[in-house]
Amino acid sequence: MRYIAEQLFEPAVAQNWLLRLLEFLELKLTTFPKKFPQYRESKYRIVVYRNDVIIYEVDEGNATVYIDLACTKGRNIDHLLKLHFDVDDSFEYE
């Protein structure tokens, strides 16, 4: 969203993207959040929406889903998880 708003100077487009993404995630993750596959046998799960990949985790104890990362398909997810989160070194860059 920041890229769309700040780099492309399209804040309205960024807002619309975010609203559509949130609607999709609420629809897909509210009832059965573990529906989508784990990412590389980690605590993270992965779902694809349009041209984006969303990485999330489920906290069953608190009945909460945390959206950790949303990026365009084709980005190096391993690298982004290492860069932004405390991911162990078992993740390999491709």
Side-chain angles (χ1 to χ4, degrees):
M1 182 170 148
R2 185 181 309 154
Y3 173 79
I4 297 169
E6 295 175 6
Q7 299 296 319
L8 300 180
F9 303 105
E10 295 286 352
V13 173
Q15 185 67 29
N16 287 336
W17 171 84
L18 180 60
L19 290 175
R20 284 194 312 265
L21 176 64
L22 291 174
E23 287 174 8
F24 169 81
L25 293 173
E26 184 175 1
L27 176 70
K28 297 295 183 181
L29 301 180
T30 299
T31 306
F32 188 54
K34 289 191 169 184
K35 171 182 178 177
F36 297 99
Q38 281 183 284
Y39 182 70
R40 297 187 184 239
E41 300 179 19
S42 68
K43 67 179 180 178
Y44 299 103
R45 294 190 171 271
I46 187 167
V47 61
V48 176
Y49 171 71
R50 294 184 170 196
N51 199 36
D52 300 303
V53 175
I54 295 84
I55 301 292
Y56 69 98
E57 56 188 291
V58 179
D59 180 349
E60 290 182 283
N62 292 314
T64 304
V65 172
Y66 297 99
I67 306 302
D68 294 305
L69 180 68
C71 63
T72 304
K73 287 182 196 173
R75 298 287 307 266
N76 186 327
I77 295 170
D78 293 344
H79 176 71
L80 293 172
L81 286 172
K82 279 186 169 183
L83 187 64
H84 296 289
F85 301 98
D86 186 21
V87 175
D88 66 35
D89 288 332
S90 65
F91 278 79
E92 294 295 326
Y93 295 167
E94 294 178 356

